[in-house]
């Protein structure tokens, strides 16, 4: 068997006529490739749980209106609000934020820290200032 390869065993190594590829160009060959554009974003979005916006019962709506009448900038409160998903109207997530009211306009929005909350998306307000409110049963 060794006799078959005697002829090529000690030949010089062949040299390519092509120039070696630059390192930058070689690196591009192995760069990550996204076959489906937007697929990762869509999958990430499905990881979040979205729910339909809750309709406030009449009692809760009246209670919220009373709390909004008392509300003033500088008050320390906790607000639960709905944040709508841009891609699925009517669906979103409920968030709770606690802090000092920086700005409040009864017709538009309320700001607590860096969070701006549309008045129509408020679900509940709580805090020491609202405990004096007692609604008749």
């Amino acid at each position: 068997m060794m006799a078959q390869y005697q002829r090529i065993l000690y030949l010089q190594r062949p040299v390519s006529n092509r120039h070696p590829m630059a390192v930058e160009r070689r690196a591009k060959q192995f760069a990550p490739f996204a076959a489906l554009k937007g697929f990762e974003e869509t999958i990430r979005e499905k990881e979040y749980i979205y729910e339909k916006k809750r309709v406030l019962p009449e009692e809760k709506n009246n209670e919220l209106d009373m709390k909004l009448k008392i509300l003033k900038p500088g008050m320390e409160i906790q607000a639960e609000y709905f944040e709508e998903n841009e891609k699925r109207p009517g669906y979103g997530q409920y968030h709770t934020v606690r802090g000092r009211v920086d700005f409040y306009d009864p017709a538009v929005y309320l700001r607590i820290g860096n969070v701006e909350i549309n008045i129509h998306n408020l679900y509940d307000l709580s805090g020491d200032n609202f405990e004096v409110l007692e609604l008749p049963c």
Side-chain angles (χ1 to χ4, degrees):
M1 182 147 203
M2 192 70 164
Q4 292 175 351
Y5 299 108
Q6 284 298 323
R7 188 172 50 102
I8 60 170
L9 193 59
Y10 298 106
L11 287 178
Q12 286 186 353
R13 185 170 178 265
V15 179
S16 173
N17 293 334
R18 295 172 38 187
H19 298 288
M21 188 183 289
V23 175
E24 296 83 25
R25 291 195 57 214
R26 270 184 71 186
K28 286 182 185 177
Q29 263 183 293
F30 303 104
F33 172 69
L36 302 172
K37 299 232 184 255
F39 179 72
E40 291 293 324
E41 181 182 321
T42 304
I43 293 298
R44 248 183 248 110
E45 188 175 307
K46 295 291 182 186
E47 291 174 355
Y48 298 109
I49 297 172
Y50 296 107
E51 61 182 285
K52 212 169 183 160
K53 186 174 181 179
R54 301 177 207 147
V55 178
L56 281 173
E58 188 69 31
E59 293 173 0
K60 190 144 174 107
N61 199 13
N62 291 338
E63 181 184 336
L64 189 59
D65 284 342
M66 289 176 69
K67 288 178 179 179
L68 287 171
K69 287 177 184 174
I70 296 172
L71 191 64
K72 290 182 177 75
M75 290 174 71
E76 191 76 28
I77 65 165
Q78 179 173 317
E80 185 178 353
Y81 65 98
F82 180 75
E83 188 174 333
E84 191 171 54
N85 182 357
E86 297 168 1
K87 295 182 181 178
R88 287 185 72 190
Y91 287 85
Q93 293 179 315
Y94 281 90
H95 299 281
T96 303
V97 65
R98 183 169 186 75
R100 189 172 305 278
V101 177
D102 293 330
F103 179 81
Y104 172 58
D105 181 356
V108 189
Y109 71 93
L110 123 88
R111 185 173 59 229
I112 301 172
N114 295 341
V115 181
E116 289 185 0
I117 305 167
N118 186 322
I119 296 298
H120 302 292
N121 291 336
L122 268 176
Y123 187 74
D124 192 24
L125 289 175
S126 58
D128 296 337
N129 301 312
F130 303 123
E131 293 195 8
V132 293
L133 278 181
E134 290 200 19
L135 295 175
C137 294

